[in-house]
Structures are given as structure tokens and as C-alpha cells.
Amino acid sequence: MKLSIQVEQDGFTARVAQAFDLDFDGTIETEVPDFEFPEYNSYNIGLIVGASGSGKSTILKKVEGDCELEVPWNPNKAIVSHFVTPEEAIERLHACGLASVPTLCKPYHVLSNGEKYRALFARMLEDDLVMDEFTSEVNRETAKSLCVSVSKYIRKKDLKNIVLASCHKDIIPWLQPDWVFDCDSGEKFENDNVQENLNRVAKITIG
């Protein structure tokens, strides 16, 4: 599938076209891989991977119109106070790698970027979650441990239709998704086929 957008040409675009010897008419076309989501409620975790600009966000919009969700935080309350029950808060935040008492009792706005990301993910961790740029805000070791604990939580609670997108293919073996769609190659792996191809996909990425 091709998406096309038109931009107004001016002196800036003309200078770029000249510098790179391009014949630019203001039209930008992007090739988005064809992908159909598996049957609703047939999976726990799905993962879309691929380089920036490969079509991940466009595919996600098929199930969620806007992946940039606004989650409100009360600046006068601790992050642990933003859940239905204390038990749910502790379980979800622990699953997302936030386990220290000082961190749980801090307000959201004083957390580090990595802590904010994990607190936000804990708030959103329910059926039908759609999230772009998964693990982009944390370092790679934290990303791997996050994937392991989140995957365990999702399967323990039997959450359904969790769809994540990431440019980091190194998380695949740690997340153990039910299906993977690789926007770079156009390949889709699902069920047992995912397990057969996990190491191969990860090795291609790592080199």
C-alpha cells in the first residue's frame, strides 16, 4: 500500500533538492507493508517491528486511531495512588520494573524519563493496549528485563490483544510474542512459527 502526501515547495525544499540532485515536485510517497491483524481475542501479545519510517505507526492506526494517548497524573499524588486498588498498583508497577518504595511514592513529574515510561506503561497495561515506540525510552538491558516481566504479567492475567511496535528487534526473544510482523522484510511469524524464527530475526538485527 502506498501513502502519498503533498508539501508546499519553497526555497528550502528547492535548496535540498539541488544539494542532493533530486527532481522533487512536492510529492512524498511511502510504501506501507500490507498486514492484517489476527482474529480479535486470539492472542495475548503481538509485536510489530521495523526501522523508523517502515510503516509501524500507520499499521497501528488500523486498530487505534491515535497511539499518543493522554494519561492524566495528579501532581499531588504518588504514582502508586493512580490505580483502582493498592494491590493492583503494586502488581502492575512491579511488572514494569518499578519496585522500590521511594519510587512508588513519588509523584510522576519527578521521575526520570525511564521511570516515567514504565509508570505510564503500568497505567495502560490492560486488554486492547496499543503502544508505539515500545522500550524506546529505556536502555537495552532495562528493555529486556521489562519485556520478561511484562510478558509474564500479561499471560498470568490473560490480557488480550496487546499490540506493541518497536524499532528494536532485540526484544523479541525476551517478550516472546504470539506473533511478529517485520515491516522491513514484510514477513509475519505467528504461533509456533514465531518460536522457530525468533533467533533468526534477532540475529539479523544484531548482525
Side-chain angles (χ1 to χ4, degrees), residues 53-66:
S54 61
K56 300 186 301 296
S57 299
T58 301
I59 292 173
L60 284 184
K61 287 177 181 177
K62 289 184 177 181
V63 288
E64 184 71 34
D66 184 3

Side-chain angles (χ1 to χ4, degrees), residues 182-202:
D182 186 347
C183 290
D184 296 329
S185 66
E187 292 181 281
K188 177 184 176 185
F189 313 121
E190 55 186 329
N191 302 323
D192 293 339
N193 200 26
V194 170
Q195 304 306 317
E196 294 173 8
N197 288 279
L198 286 178
N199 291 335
R200 182 177 71 82
V201 174

Side-chain angles (χ1 to χ4, degrees), residues 157-174:
K157 298 296 184 180
D158 195 27
L159 301 183
K160 297 292 188 181
N161 316 308
I162 307 293
V163 183
L164 308 171
S166 178
C167 60
H168 300 287
K169 297 179 186 177
D170 60 348
I171 66 174
I172 296 173
W174 305 93

